[in-house]
Amino acid sequence: MPLTDKFGRPITDLRISITDRCNYKCVYCRTGNEGALYGDLPFDDYFRMARVLVGMGVTKIRLTGGEPLLRKGVIDFVRELAKLRTPNNGHGDPLDIALTTNGHLLADLAQPLKTAGLSRVTVSMDAVDPDRFARITRVPNGYDHVLAGIRAARRGGLWPLKVNCVLMRGFNEDQVVPFGKFAREEGVTVRFIEFMPLEEDRTWSPNTVVTLDEILTRMAEYRPLVEIPHARSETARRYCFDDGVGEIGIIAPVSHPFCGHCSRIRITSDGKIRTCLFSVWDHDLHAQMRRGATDQELEDFIRGVIQKKEERHHIGEPDFVPASRTMVHIGG
Ligand code: SAM
């Protein structure tokens, strides 16, 4: 039976955070602290969770964090995941395995990750100017590493290659057009993400969000965009430039929420299931494993949790309650 929540949404997309440590301190995500708050688990434990969920209907797995490339053993973990097959009525298709990274360590790892079975990668990059990049990430000299990582991923065939940019007013809203040029020159899809209230510093307000409409207006000053039809389940609205060169996506969870098509669940680095980024509680899958649950008992636990998946988030509404964890400790 496919894994479906009580609103009829099929759950096919699993995100596993393999660490909540990060080597960047992006202003819209982290505070100035150094350490992990919740820690992480042995890869065998994540693998068992993934195997059970794939058996239940998950077809896509995205590794995230924290910064997933900080974790030694990530390549072997990808190799193990790549051996899993979706049930698909006995046909057994390979999984779509993706990774979200800040790209700092990607230049040397792109090719081995591809060889291990990674399908594609998304690199976060919030400015195409080294000084501005350093101001946002609060790390000196990161820009060149990330650019090298993006180029290595492209050379290594980690495709389609997406570059995610979170826009935050006062920091990088003027980077819209430079990123349009970057998409065209580097042959990558740049996706702008609206800033969500998931940051450690609690600086979010509606005024700090650079919305989909504003991004489109700013980009139109550079070149006209043409919308590309997209599947309802896709989170990004997609556009190409009028000459067909360069693709842009806009993920607008604040101004144009897409919760009605959400197909995701997340496992945190300490083995908790989160059914929504904005959940105010989580569900301890790893505790079930520690107490010796069988695979069938894990499956039953997961089915119960999925039925509690929230209908939608309440960002910007008077009854909004902040999520019980911030993005770096959930896994974006
Ligand atoms: N360290 C990796 C990276 O930088 O891509 C993976 C983890 S990071 C938490 C995953 C994604 O979440 C990144 O693309 C990041 O830009 C995005 N993100 C973090 N905080 C956010 C926020 N408050 N609003 C929107 N996106 C956010």
Side-chain angles (χ1 to χ4, degrees):
M1 227 184 16
L3 194 53
T4 307
D5 74 3
K6 68 170 183 250
F7 302 105
R9 295 173 296 193
I11 305 302
T12 53
D13 188 344
L14 169 66
R15 297 183 165 224
I16 307 177
S17 171
I18 59 174
T19 177
D20 65 340
R21 282 180 293 136
C22 192
N23 46 350
Y24 277 18
K25 297 173 190 164
C26 301
V27 287
Y28 55 81
C29 184
R30 302 209 40 223
T31 188
N33 70 23
E34 293 293 339
L37 207 54
Y38 298 94
D40 50 43
L41 300 176
F43 279 117
D44 285 352
D45 290 352
Y46 298 130
F47 182 77
R48 183 173 176 212
M49 295 172 186
R51 178 173 54 70
V52 169
L53 274 149
V54 168
M56 297 173 74
V58 160
T59 55
K60 285 190 209 169
I61 296 184
R62 178 173 292 275
L63 305 184
T64 182
E67 173 46 44
L69 297 186
L70 288 178
R71 206 52 215 271
K72 301 258 181 300
V74 62
I75 293 171
D76 291 337
F77 183 46
V78 168
R79 192 174 296 113
E80 289 307 306
L81 288 177
K83 293 178 190 161
L84 292 175
R85 291 287 175 273
T86 64
N88 191 17
N89 302 324
H91 293 303
D93 293 331
L95 288 178
D96 179 12
I97 307 173
L99 174 99
T100 303
T101 171
N102 61 30
H104 193 89
L105 301 170
L106 185 60
D108 291 338
L109 295 177
Q111 187 61 63
L113 283 165
K114 174 71 185 175
T115 307
L118 190 73
S119 320
R120 54 205 174 87
V121 71
T122 299
V123 181
S124 305
M125 187 184 185
D126 306 301
V128 286
D129 159 72
D131 293 336
R132 187 76 64 84
F133 186 85
R135 185 175 166 228
I136 293 169
T137 56
R138 298 188 274 201
V139 166
N141 308 322
Y143 183 80
D144 290 343
H145 289 275
V146 176
L147 195 55
I150 289 172
R151 290 176 176 164
R154 195 172 168 212
R155 272 196 310 278
L158 286 166
W159 199 258
L161 179 52
K162 293 175 186 158
V163 171
N164 276 358
C165 166
V166 177
L167 291 172
M168 187 178 177
R169 195 172 310 288
F171 281 92
N172 60 350
E173 70 267 42
D174 61 346
Q175 293 291 294
V176 171
V177 170
F179 266 117
K181 295 178 182 166
F182 184 83
R184 292 163 67 82
E185 286 161 14
E186 297 286 334
V188 298
T189 300
V190 171
R191 301 193 312 174
F192 298 104
I193 307 178
E194 288 178 349
F195 177 36
M196 292 179 276
L198 287 165
E199 75 293 9
E200 290 186 320
D201 279 344
R202 299 293 185 208
T203 47
W204 188 93
S205 79
N207 295 336
T208 56
V209 182
V210 182
T211 62
L212 176 140
D213 291 346
E214 182 176 338
I215 297 166
L216 290 177
T217 305
R218 284 177 178 270
M219 197 63 96
E221 287 165 14
Y222 167 50
R223 276 196 88 104
L225 286 171
V226 181
E227 186 156 9
I228 304 170
H230 67 281
R232 278 159 66 89
S233 57
E234 272 183 87
T235 53
R237 299 199 178 196
R238 298 170 57 199
Y239 306 84
C240 64
F241 288 101
D242 56 339
D243 61 356
V245 179
E247 183 174 330
I248 298 296
I250 306 180
I251 303 176
V254 180
S255 68
H256 294 74
F258 38 82
C259 307
H261 306 292
C262 182
S263 55
R264 297 176 181 175
I265 59 164
R266 294 177 159 80
I267 293 178
T268 62
S269 61
D270 57 337
K272 309 268 168 60
I273 299 179
R274 289 183 71 91
T275 46
C276 172
L277 272 177
F278 292 93
S279 292
V280 292
W281 52 71
D282 37 46
H283 308 272
D284 199 342
L285 184 59
H286 194 245
Q288 301 297 316
M289 288 168 55
R290 286 196 306 272
R291 72 160 185 80
T294 62
D295 285 358
Q296 185 58 55
E297 285 168 339
L298 292 185
E299 205 177 307
D300 294 345
F301 178 80
I302 292 166
R303 278 195 200 283
V305 166
I306 296 297
Q307 293 317 306
K308 297 181 185 146
K309 185 169 165 66
E310 297 80 346
E311 185 175 17
R312 63 185 185 88
H313 70 63
H314 294 263
I315 301 175
E317 297 174 21
D319 60 348
F320 176 72
V321 179
S324 55
R325 292 189 185 203
T326 55
M327 185 70 112
V328 67
H329 303 298
I330 298 172

